[in-house]
Amino acid sequence: MINPFKPEIAVITEVFKETSDTTTYTFRFKDEETRETWSFEPGQFNMITVFGIGEAPISISSAPSDTGFVQHTVRHVGNVTNALAKKKPGDVVGIRGAYGTGWPFHQLYGRNVLIVAGGIGLAPLRPVIREVMRQRDRFKEVEVLYGARTPGDMLFVREFPEWSEYVKLRLTVDTVPPGVKWDHKVGVVTTLFSEMSSQPSNTVVLTCGPEIMMKFVVRGLLHMGFSPDRIYVSMERRMHCGVGKCGRCQIGPRFTCKDGPVFAYEELAALPEEVLGGVGR
Amino acid sequence: MAVTRTSSVPDMVVLSGELWQELLKLVTAQYKVIGPVRRGSEHVFAPVKDPRDIDMAYVTTILPPKKVFHQPFQVLFSFDTEEGTLAEEESGEEKVLWGIHPCDMHAIAILDKVYGIEYPDPYYLRNRENTIIVAKNCTEVGENCFCLSMGTGPALRSGYDLLLTDLGGRYLVEVGTEKGRKLLSGLELVPAPRVVLVEKEKRLSQARQKFKKRMITQGIQELLEENFRHPIWEELMRECLACGSCTMVCPTCFCYNVVDKIDLDLKTGKRQREWDSCMLLEYAQVALGQNFRRDRDARIKQRIYHKLLYYEPQFGTLGCVGCGRCIGACVKRIDITDVVSRLAESVESDR
Amino acid sequence: MSTKLKVSVYKLSSCAGCQLEFLNLEPVLLDLVGAIEFSYFPMARRRYEPGPYDIGFVEGAVTCGEEIERLKKARQECRILVALGSCACYGGLPSIKNWTPERVIVSRVYENSSLIHSIKAYGIDEYVQVDAYLKGCPVNKDELVEFIKGTLLGIRPRLRPHSVCVECKLNEYECISVIKREPCMGPVTTAGCGALCPSRGKACDGCRGPANDANAESLARTFSEYGLHRSDIVRRFRKFAGLTQEFSRGADAV
Amino acid sequence: MTTGDIKVDYLARVEGEGALDIRVKDGEIVDLKLRIFEPPRFFQGFLVGRKYDEVPGIVSRICGICPVSHQITAIQALEDAFGVRPSLQTKRLRKLLALSQWIQSHTLHIYMLALPDFLGYESILAMAQDHMDAVKRALKLKRLGNDLTVLLGGREVHPVTAVINGFTSLPPVEELRAIQRRLEDALDDAVETVRLCASLEVPDFSWDAEHVALRSEEGYAVNEGRLVSTKGLDIPAWEYRSHIKEKQVPHSNALHSYIVGRGSFLVGPLARVNLNADRLSPRAKEAMKASGVRFPSFNPFHSALARAIELVHAIEESIRIIDDLDELVPEDSGYSIKPGQGFAITEAPRGALYHSYKVNDQGLIEAADIVSPTAHNVNNMEEDLRRFVPRVLDLPHDEATLKCEMVVRNYDPCISCSVHFLKLNIVRE
Ligand SMILES: Cc1cc2nc3c(=O)[nH]c(=O)nc-3n(C[C@H](O)[C@H](O)[C@H](O)COP(=O)(O)OP(=O)(O)OC[C@H]3O[C@@H](n4cnc5c(N)ncnc54)[C@H](O)[C@@H]3O)c2cc1C
Ligand code: SF4
Ligand code: SF4
Ligand code: SF4
């Protein structure tokens, strides 16, 4: 019997510090067969093990067409993620996955795409952006709205110039520390709505970020006439198995790990438990 | 093509006095048996060495027999922090789970779905497959039992390897599977006449008369969906101790936590999972302190809604089997059937 | 060798039982001293090395001014300061006296009370910032080891934050409250002791202080239903952790 | 012609904190103070108003090294007040529990306090390199005592099962048998410990201090008996206060126990062996004889040896008690509360421990009186020091310090349990 709880061993091949508290890791599976057959969809996540510390669900931030390696972008906030911060190229971790629903990638073909991300929420959307760049003709207008706390907290900035050749990239930050140069917007991510070009018709929305952010994003977009059945959100819940067994991630009858993390907004809105916006309650 | 003696065992036998004792002796001698034994004034499922320790008259146990399959603590594998080498724990021996009640059998059927679908759970399934289940119909009813309302008792129709019914000093034994038949193979047995089924039915219908507790199941889904905001939840929030007992004892609860237990050399260790509970504050807390169910009422609702509303779309069945353990374990006597009745009453009086 | 964690153990007003738990770790003691250095531990060593230390374990409640000074010094010389046991966490048993005027308490023990300079007993976080709490009277040895391992690894160790009931159930102990209708503090007390008292047929005494989300008011109402007098209920909550908000609410509930 | 001060700050390894100030002038001691830093925790103060059944659990917290002794003494004092007479089974289990703590505490003292001093190490941890055998033996014996406490009481420090008129739970007989085998196996280790202690070179230092201990018809006294002494004391527990009192002395910080009409006295293993040698178990007697030291001995430096002899006794006696406990039956532990006063004395590892309570008709405590072994001894400690110090005045400071510490550590003082210590103007270096 396959044991879904036993991670594959992977070696860190590259460590790139995105910001003061976030790092992008490149991993290579030790087992050659796994390396060749392993596949995933944008928006899925892996359970990453630091042996002796524990496991944490982390979105895959590389694209399916990036073969031979897999990348994760990790914000160091707790035990596992801080332990990762101490890892160097050559160190081993455990990886199992890929788990969960991805973004409805094939539904995006022939449509406009609006991506709204906050903070670390850009990580699971990076694979979408990278695929869009590689198959640009299959999509109509693609616009990315991205907000972070400060300019220094923006992820993937070294890739922005290239991204901008393919998609409309609009940036905002909550605050600009004194002495920092910033040519973009200041304010929460929804302040970008006033300047964005995306229109409700034929547009699919993908959003990921803090739950409170997604609440206001969804509320704003619905108000502007975007269709609730074409808004997709990626949810965060505590998880310990990734495969619908440990129960920790349930939202109503849904398991965030296997029915999500990407949900159609409509599906969540129908649940009795107040979800988007029920922050802390 | 050896013809085993097993095939000569009839499908239905009646065992009394000596034969019954002989069966117990035979089974406990040949297998690791886990059966109901006394612990103070309660009962637990525990390994039985001496058949006299089995108490067939038990009403319920502190923990349900699910603990044999989904263990409170389960080592998943051991590791080496530098190499990452993974050694899996060895599988256990064949055992017999003796005397479980219909409600618990139904609960196991639910867990079979939880652990059997999509990514089958090897630890659960290994324990499950290694176990022969001897179930026992209930001819007596406990004060908290309401399986009758849930359609999960007092009689069992399927799922067992052997099924026992107490006919008063004699046991009707029905064979459910070949695994079960094997247990009877060492005895000289004659088939029971079909009339004992009449006797069995009589005893079970007597039992049905004895239920004091009842759960309203009709329209329960709508009832809950419409009353997510209801004063009763605030009242329960004031009462509930959030101690977690109700969920720890529930036969259908499956939540767990995973922890790495590292040795003092900081090089080797084990990954282990252990039961957890949605009633506990830290359960839904994530890094940086955010908690998706900080308030007690949110957690109480999660438990009750999960049992009575969410299992259905998840696993095609209600998540409560009416064993009554959560009622019995609650220091505050919070009663799931009472909560539903009161919701129904308040809706009734609103009309 | 030089990479060993430097550990110090301080004693304030206490019974020394918590620090004795280090020496009660016989089976792993030699491994432990392979990983950490008891740089300052008067109970076990005559010699001591000066700070700074990586971890400082402070045992005992603060009950006099001089202890406040020593505590502040301890805070300065330790990277991680740990409240070792319920006295250091909450004031512990010595805090029972806080509800009686100091003068009355002193005169019950000493004839010449003018010589005694005692103040109300508090946990150490009344005076300094505390990085971790190891609860219990005494602390649990397994938790102590888990904590040290966690510190060696640089992580937050997992200490059970929930009620004693969870461990009671995990081990299938007969419920003292439901079965015997005895007033058990388990539902509001932090686990980590393995439900020791219920395992030995005894109601939990609440020695580990309030659990996560402890609903002491509700438990106090149940105690009252069990026939406890108001003063009995107050005594139960004002024992090991009477100064905590949660247990104060229990004491005031009925 | 020397004038100097000896200050021993932080008497290391006495599970508490004390300091010794000695002022010397022209070779004469002009002032000697054993200062105790331990602030009072007022157990006797806050016990007033608590319920009788809380008492054993509360007084346990007076001392983490000998919690069992406080529990048992409190229980017996309350039983005395209520007129409860526990069963033989309960008495046997209690004795076993008390002995388990002797094994643990004696091992702790001998190997972790005394041996490093005599062998010239700063701690047992430092001894590990050269004396691994001894260290391993220490850990084994200490664990054994602890495991026996855990089996009977639930945990090593502040066990939970002992209550008035019985136990809340009984140990499984198989486990008692299993630990009995370990006790049998450990007897040789205990005898080896006696040999080791006998081999230590001790100063020739004796004086005729009064030695006080319980003595009983029922064997080497632990939980029962009359309080007797080498100078003719012979009283039951309830007469304690007519004979033993405390006074405050101007040069010292501590209340000093004294026997009315005489003065300071010594309790503990040395006193017990001196007064009860005839009641020791066979192997303990043998080991005592083989040690080459003649008892009674009035040399306080023989207290480690006395402890080792008691270690043999405690183990052998435990084996015997387990033999007697072949079937444990749950008993009715009911009793009714009566207003009144009760008294009890037991032998804690460090010596005689006295508890007395006055209980009202509600079962509330009206007065509590607790005198721990260390409180009994502190007066005598100073007496020892006063006689001993002149011998070390000419030694280098470090050595003199160590020697003074050793005098104090002979008593294995558990400062945290000294509920009677006063704290006065603490001056810290
Ligand atoms: C589907 C999904 C995708 C995610 N993708 C990313 C990502 O790409 N980059 C990133 O930096 N973070 C991501 N997170 C959040 C990340 O999982 C948490 O930050 C991480 O689990 C914290 O673990 P820790 O051990 O460092 O923290 P601790 O607070 O020490 O957590 C202890 C344990 O609690 C659990 N836990 C704590 N917080 C969370 C949480 N937010 N979600 C789930 N379990 C939690 C974990 O099992 C963890 O082992 C994602 C979360 C989910 C659910
Ligand atoms: S919810 Fe309660 S009654 Fe229902 S199965 Fe669980 S424990 Fe039994
Ligand atoms: S005995 Fe106490 S701690 Fe255990 S389940 Fe009952 S109430 Fe909770
Ligand atoms: S059960 Fe309660 S009193 Fe007993 S050790 Fe645990 S927390 Fe302390």
Side-chain angles (χ1 to χ4, degrees):
Chain A
M1 199 185 301
I2 306 162
N3 186 339
F5 304 112
K6 256 175 83 172
E8 287 289 333
I9 307 299
V11 181
I12 298 177
T13 58
E14 206 186 312
V15 173
F16 180 80
K17 219 162 148 45
E18 299 279 353
T19 71
S20 62
D21 68 356
T22 306
T23 311
T24 297
Y25 297 89
T26 308
F27 299 102
R28 200 162 172 265
F29 286 108
K30 224 173 186 173
D31 181 64
E32 199 181 309
E33 201 190 318
T34 310
R35 214 182 307 152
E36 275 159 21
T37 56
W38 199 79
S39 68
F40 70 98
E41 284 167 35
Q44 286 194 301
F45 66 94
N46 281 325
M47 294 297 291
I48 302 205
T49 286
V50 178
F51 290 103
I53 313 290
E55 224 178 9
I58 305 288
S59 306
I60 301 164
S61 64
S62 53
S65 51
D66 297 328
T67 49
F69 67 92
V70 56
Q71 285 178 327
H72 285 280
T73 303
V74 182
R75 183 161 170 219
H76 310 299
V77 294
N79 282 350
V80 174
T81 49
N82 283 331
L84 271 172
K86 292 181 202 148
K87 297 279 172 199
K88 309 173 298 299
D91 290 346
V92 299
V93 298
I95 294 185
R96 57 192 184 88
Y99 295 132
T101 51
W103 301 106
F105 195 70
H106 298 282
Q107 273 188 47
L108 306 182
Y109 291 159
R111 292 182 197 266
N112 304 315
V113 182
L114 171 62
I115 290 174
V116 189
I120 188 76
L122 188 57
L125 285 158
R126 181 171 173 251
V128 177
I129 297 167
R130 283 174 85 90
E131 286 304 322
V132 164
M133 290 175 3
R134 289 192 185 133
Q135 325 170 28
R136 186 65 189 87
D137 306 342
R138 305 180 90 151
F139 310 88
K140 295 223 158 89
E141 291 300 307
V142 181
E143 188 165 14
V144 177
L145 314 183
Y146 179 44
R149 278 170 301 176
T150 71
D153 290 314
M154 292 236 143
L155 304 178
F156 312 124
V157 274
R158 62 173 165 162
E159 300 173 20
F160 285 176
E162 198 192 347
W163 290 9
S164 302
E165 290 170 24
Y166 298 86
V167 304
K168 249 179 254 139
L169 181 62
R170 297 183 199 277
L171 307 173
T172 183
V173 294
D174 297 344
T175 48
V176 182
V180 173
K181 189 169 151 344
W182 182 246
D183 311 327
H184 307 268
K185 203 115 183 144
V186 176
V188 294
V189 79
T190 41
T191 54
L192 291 170
F193 285 176
S194 60
E195 64 185 43
M196 77 176 178
S197 49
S198 292
Q199 295 299 317
S201 77
N202 200 28
T203 301
V204 180
V205 180
L206 313 178
T207 178
C208 182
E211 206 153 309
I212 184 93
M213 177 209 97
M214 293 197 286
K215 172 189 166 180
F216 286 106
V217 166
V218 171
R219 195 183 279 178
L221 291 174
L222 290 176
H223 191 74
M224 291 160 71
F226 283 83
S227 165
D229 63 353
R230 286 205 298 267
I231 299 178
Y232 292 86
V233 296
S234 179
M235 302 295 288
E236 183 185 5
R237 282 294 181 276
R238 184 155 177 158
M239 32 184 89
H240 284 293
C241 72
V243 292
K245 307 285 181 241
C246 80
R248 306 301 287 261
C249 67
Q250 293 175 77
I251 303 176
R254 305 279 178 264
F255 288 90
T256 307
C257 65
K258 64 185 176 102
D259 304 324
V262 175
F263 291 97
Y265 167 72
E266 265 198 324
E267 191 182 348
L268 294 178
L271 301 175
E273 196 173 3
E274 196 179 297
V275 185
L276 282 176
V279 177
R281 162 106 205 180
Chain B
M1 274 296 288
V3 180
T4 55
R5 270 186 60 87
T6 6
S7 57
S8 69
V9 173
D11 287 346
M12 200 167 77
V13 296
V14 172
L15 300 182
S16 55
E18 259 171 49
L19 261 181
W20 170 251
Q21 294 304 332
E22 214 177 303
L23 172 64
L24 286 176
K25 246 185 261 161
L26 213 74
V27 174
T28 45
Q30 287 174 354
Y31 296 88
K32 182 180 174 189
V33 173
I34 296 169
V37 302
R38 285 198 150 274
R39 177 164 295 170
S41 47
E42 300 197 65
H43 285 88
V44 298
F45 278 100
V48 179
K49 280 189 213 83
D50 185 339
R52 280 170 302 188
D53 292 342
I54 296 183
D55 185 355
M56 291 300 283
Y58 84 101
V59 176
T60 186
T61 50
I62 301 180
L63 290 185
K66 86 169 175 197
K67 69 172 185 180
V68 175
F69 309 138
H70 177 40
Q71 299 176 353
F73 299 92
Q74 168 83 57
V75 173
L76 299 179
F77 53 76
S78 51
F79 56 77
D80 180 303
T81 53
E82 275 153 30
E83 303 292 317
T85 0
L86 305 151
E88 214 180 308
E89 291 290 297
E90 276 311 300
S91 58
E93 81 237 72
E94 188 169 52
K95 48 192 172 301
V96 174
L97 185 47
W98 189 272
I100 76 169
H101 286 167
C103 56
D104 286 339
M105 189 66 240
H106 275 94
I108 289 169
I110 294 175
L111 292 185
D112 286 347
K113 291 186 189 158
V114 176
Y115 290 108
I117 54 170
E118 286 167 90
Y119 295 89
D121 182 306
Y123 306 95
Y124 176 90
L125 293 175
R126 202 164 60 202
N127 291 329
R128 179 76 170 90
E129 280 155 14
N130 278 338
T131 305
I132 302 171
I133 295 188
V134 180
K136 175 184 176 284
N137 280 326
C138 290
T139 46
E140 291 300 327
V141 171
E143 55 167 337
N144 294 323
C145 298
F146 60 97
C147 58
L148 184 62
S149 320
M150 307 311 291
T152 54
L156 190 61
R157 314 228 171 278
S158 61
Y160 54 84
D161 296 309
L162 276 188
L163 177 65
L164 311 173
T165 310
D166 188 349
L167 301 179
R170 308 173 303 152
Y171 280 97
L172 170 64
V173 184
E174 292 167 84
V175 172
T177 65
E178 289 313 303
K179 259 161 104 185
R181 198 186 298 273
K182 211 167 63 174
L183 294 185
L184 298 172
S185 62
L187 300 169
E188 293 292 326
L189 299 169
V190 287
R194 292 198 60 81
V195 291
V196 295
L197 291 178
V198 178
E199 167 87 20
K200 168 186 168 188
E201 205 31 60
K202 194 181 104 206
R203 300 223 168 227
L204 289 168
S205 62
Q206 277 167 358
R208 287 189 186 93
Q209 306 306 313
K210 297 180 189 164
F211 282 88
K212 292 191 211 78
K213 229 176 244 313
R214 186 172 96 82
M215 169 81 99
I216 299 170
T217 51
Q218 217 193 351
I220 191 168
Q221 262 97 355
E222 301 79 67
L223 186 67
L224 289 169
E225 265 165 14
E226 284 158 20
N227 287 289
F228 198 77
R229 263 158 267 277
H230 187 282
I232 196 170
W233 304 122
E234 260 167 62
E235 186 192 313
L236 287 175
M237 172 166 74
R238 278 193 302 277
E239 286 298 296
C240 173
L241 301 167
C243 72
S245 289
C246 52
T247 41
M248 298 313 282
V249 299
C250 180
T252 66
C253 275
F254 53 82
C255 288
Y256 62 76
N257 198 358
V258 177
V259 286
D260 278 11
K261 292 262 169 200
I262 200 161
D263 303 326
L264 202 50
D265 63 7
L266 306 184
K267 289 199 173 64
T268 52
K270 288 185 165 63
R271 177 162 295 168
Q272 174 175 307
R273 69 180 180 200
E274 53 191 55
W275 292 1
D276 207 334
S277 158
C278 62
M279 291 303 298
L280 306 176
L281 177 63
E282 66 277 13
Y283 175 88
Q285 181 167 326
V286 296
L288 301 177
Q290 188 178 354
N291 193 326
F292 297 101
R293 288 189 209 100
R294 179 161 288 135
D295 292 338
R296 210 144 50 228
D297 58 345
R299 281 175 265 142
I300 296 163
K301 278 192 262 188
Q302 174 61 25
R303 168 169 89 91
I304 293 180
Y305 276 66
H306 192 210
K307 297 287 148 190
L308 301 177
L309 185 63
Y310 304 152
Y311 268 73
E312 180 77 46
Q314 288 175 343
F315 307 110
T317 161
L318 278 179
C320 172
V321 295
C323 74
R325 282 190 182 86
C326 56
I327 306 170
C330 181
V331 170
K332 299 297 297 187
R333 309 303 278 163
I334 292 172
D335 179 338
I336 190 168
T337 65
D338 181 55
V339 172
V340 174
S341 304
R342 287 177 54 200
L343 283 179
E345 273 164 34
S346 75
V347 169
E348 199 62 30
S349 65
D350 279 354
R351 293 227 171 96
Chain C
M1 280 294 128
S2 56
T3 58
K4 277 197 202 178
L5 280 185
K6 291 176 83 175
V7 169
S8 58
V9 183
Y10 306 89
K11 182 178 183 304
L12 304 179
S13 295
S14 68
C15 75
C18 286
Q19 49 175 316
L20 181 64
E21 290 291 38
F22 281 108
L23 303 181
N24 282 343
L25 284 169
E26 299 93 352
V28 296
L29 192 59
L30 293 175
D31 293 336
L32 191 68
V33 296
I36 64 172
E37 175 88 34
F38 284 110
S39 305
Y40 174 78
F41 187 7
M43 184 202 257
R45 301 189 58 178
R46 202 169 164 252
R47 199 176 57 221
Y48 59 88
E49 294 147 33
Y53 311 111
D54 294 297
I55 321 180
F57 291 97
V58 182
E59 176 195 81
V62 179
T63 68
C64 67
E66 181 265 348
E67 284 177 337
I68 301 174
E69 297 317 307
R70 285 172 52 209
L71 179 59
K72 287 192 171 148
K73 178 161 176 280
R75 172 70 273 183
Q76 277 168 9
E77 55 193 18
C78 297
R79 185 163 59 85
I80 299 171
L81 197 74
V82 186
L84 185 72
S86 291
C87 292
C89 292
Y90 315 111
L93 276 188
S95 73
I96 293 178
K97 74 176 171 120
N98 292 9
W99 283 272
T100 310
E102 204 64 30
R103 194 172 28 82
V104 175
I105 283 280
V106 171
S107 68
R108 282 182 194 152
V109 185
Y110 297 96
E111 272 169 24
N112 187 351
S113 54
S114 68
L115 300 170
I116 304 298
H117 305 289
S118 185
I119 56 175
K120 286 205 184 307
Y122 286 109
I124 61 172
D125 63 5
E126 182 75 14
Y127 303 101
V128 296
Q129 199 206 316
V130 173
D131 302 306
Y133 297 84
L134 290 174
K135 304 173 180 181
C137 183
V139 288
N140 178 279
K141 292 198 299 294
D142 294 339
E143 284 200 338
L144 193 56
V145 174
E146 278 307 304
F147 180 83
I148 292 171
K149 285 194 290 197
T151 313
L152 286 166
L153 289 170
I155 62 171
R156 240 181 316 109
R158 175 169 173 274
L159 305 176
R160 292 176 173 275
H162 52 66
S163 75
V164 172
C165 296
V166 171
E167 286 189 307
C168 218
K169 294 294 176 243
L170 282 172
N171 294 295
E172 285 190 272
Y173 299 137
E174 206 185 352
C175 179
I176 307 290
S177 184
V178 166
I179 302 294
K180 303 190 188 163
R181 285 179 78 81
E182 280 175 26
C184 182
M185 290 286 281
V188 296
T189 301
T190 311
C193 60
L196 174 70
C197 295
S199 81
R200 299 293 175 131
K202 208 177 177 189
C204 168
D205 218 4
C207 83
R208 298 174 56 84
N212 247 356
D213 201 27
N215 188 352
E217 295 102 311
S218 177
L219 188 64
R221 289 196 296 274
T222 296
F223 287 177
S224 169
E225 283 160 27
Y226 286 179
L228 263 68
H229 186 266
R230 199 194 101 82
S231 61
D232 295 323
I233 296 172
V234 170
R235 263 200 302 277
R236 277 201 162 63
F237 285 102
R238 287 192 192 146
K239 198 161 184 178
F240 293 92
L243 293 168
T244 58
Q245 260 186 24
E246 294 91 330
F247 282 8
S248 302
R249 283 203 293 266
D252 296 337
V254 184
Chain D
M1 299 300 121
T2 48
T3 302
D5 293 349
I6 298 181
K7 276 189 198 291
V8 183
D9 228 349
Y10 281 101
L11 283 168
R13 294 194 258 115
V14 289
E15 312 104 17
E17 286 153 10
L20 173 65
D21 295 351
I22 306 163
R23 285 183 49 76
V24 185
K25 196 168 182 186
D26 297 335
E28 295 275 314
I29 300 165
V30 290
D31 194 14
L32 185 146
K33 279 184 187 155
L34 185 58
R35 290 194 287 117
I36 307 302
F37 287 160
E38 187 75 15
R41 286 177 293 150
F42 301 104
F43 275 82
Q44 295 162 98
F46 66 70
L47 275 168
V48 173
R50 302 297 295 199
K51 202 129 196 181
Y52 70 94
D53 59 357
E54 294 182 274
V55 174
I58 291 178
V59 295
S60 169
R61 271 76 183 191
I62 290 174
C63 173
I65 328 281
C66 59
V68 166
S69 305
H70 282 284
Q71 289 180 356
I72 292 178
T73 317
I75 287 170
Q76 294 187 168
L78 290 163
E79 285 173 345
D80 184 39
F82 298 159
V84 174
R85 307 199 49 171
S87 70
L88 185 61
Q89 174 177 299
T90 295
K91 284 188 181 161
R92 283 175 171 156
L93 284 170
R94 266 184 207 162
K95 186 162 184 184
L96 194 57
L97 186 58
L99 290 173
S100 74
Q101 191 189 251
W102 279 26
I103 298 172
Q104 179 273 134
S105 175
H106 282 5
T107 308
L108 180 77
H109 173 92
I110 296 166
Y111 285 94
M112 301 199 176
L113 298 183
L115 264 188
D117 279 352
F118 284 107
L119 298 179
Y121 293 88
E122 62 94 18
S123 71
I124 187 171
L125 305 177
M127 264 170 61
Q129 279 146 17
D130 308 336
H131 299 275
M132 201 45 154
D133 279 359
V135 172
K136 287 212 164 128
R137 193 183 318 121
L139 294 179
K140 178 179 163 191
L141 285 166
K142 197 159 115 41
R143 188 69 250 162
L144 177 61
N146 272 332
D147 280 345
L148 188 53
T149 312
V150 171
L151 177 61
L152 300 170
R155 70 178 159 205
E156 300 88 338
V157 177
H158 309 320
V160 299
T161 57
V163 289
I164 293 169
N165 203 18
F167 283 83
T168 58
S169 77
L170 300 171
V173 174
E174 320 83 74
E175 288 187 36
L176 274 176
R177 293 269 171 270
I179 207 156
Q180 192 183 32
R181 286 190 289 277
R182 284 173 60 196
L183 287 161
E184 279 159 4
D185 173 57
L187 257 181
D188 288 343
D189 293 309
V191 171
E192 181 56 34
T193 305
V194 177
R195 221 180 344 256
L196 188 61
C197 289
S199 73
L200 301 173
E201 209 170 302
V202 301
D204 181 14
F205 171 69
S206 295
W207 64 283
D208 66 336
E210 181 163 1
H211 286 211
V212 174
L214 284 179
R215 184 164 169 87
S216 157
E217 293 311 307
E218 293 168 37
Y220 199 80
V222 180
N223 290 336
E224 72 293 294
R226 291 168 70 86
L227 199 64
V228 303
S229 85
T230 49
K231 293 187 179 171
L233 185 79
D234 186 357
I235 53 164
W238 59 271
E239 276 183 31
Y240 176 91
R241 275 300 177 203
S242 325
H243 298 269
I244 296 174
K245 296 210 161 38
E246 280 119 30
K247 68 173 175 215
Q248 202 179 339
V249 281
H251 70 261
S252 169
N253 300 333
L255 286 174
H256 281 200
S257 267
Y258 64 97
I259 294 180
V260 177
R262 288 196 291 273
S264 79
F265 58 95
L266 170 149
V267 299
L270 187 58
R272 288 194 293 248
V273 171
N274 283 342
L275 286 157
N276 291 316
D278 57 327
R279 309 237 144 123
L280 283 167
S281 68
R283 298 243 359 224
K285 272 186 194 152
E286 227 172 80
M288 177 174 73
K289 212 171 275 161
S291 74
V293 174
R294 290 178 60 102
F295 288 90
S297 158
F298 288 83
N299 183 348
F301 288 97
H302 280 147
S303 68
L305 177 60
R307 271 190 183 82
I309 292 166
E310 280 194 339
L311 186 62
V312 179
H313 172 82
I315 291 175
E316 212 175 359
E317 181 70 2
S318 300
I319 294 169
R320 201 187 58 72
I321 295 173
I322 296 174
D323 269 337
D324 290 343
L325 285 172
D326 44 20
E327 187 125 319
L328 289 175
V329 284
E331 299 173 313
D332 174 21
S333 55
Y335 56 89
S336 46
I337 47 172
K338 267 201 320 230
Q341 188 164 6
F343 310 84
I345 302 176
T346 70
E347 286 289 349
R350 283 155 196 79
L353 166 64
Y354 170 76
H355 281 223
S356 165
Y357 301 96
K358 215 188 255 166
V359 191
N360 72 11
D361 55 358
Q362 310 279 303
L364 297 179
I365 302 301
E366 291 196 326
D369 189 6
I370 300 169
V371 189
S372 67
T374 300
H376 282 140
N377 277 333
V378 70
N379 195 2
N380 214 62
M381 262 180 236
E382 275 197 9
E383 288 298 325
D384 274 4
L385 284 165
R386 205 164 282 127
R387 288 172 166 78
F388 186 75
V389 164
R391 302 177 168 216
V392 299
L393 281 180
D394 295 332
L395 294 178
H397 185 79
D398 284 355
E399 224 169 292
T401 306
L402 173 64
K403 289 269 150 52
C404 291
E405 283 188 15
M406 286 171 72
V407 172
V408 174
R409 279 201 282 273
N410 279 333
Y411 290 83
D412 189 9
C414 179
I415 308 242
S416 29
C417 76
S418 327
V419 284
H420 269 164
F421 281 131
L422 278 174
K423 180 187 71 98
L424 290 172
N425 310 320
I426 290 169
V427 185
R428 295 189 62 217
E429 288 303 286

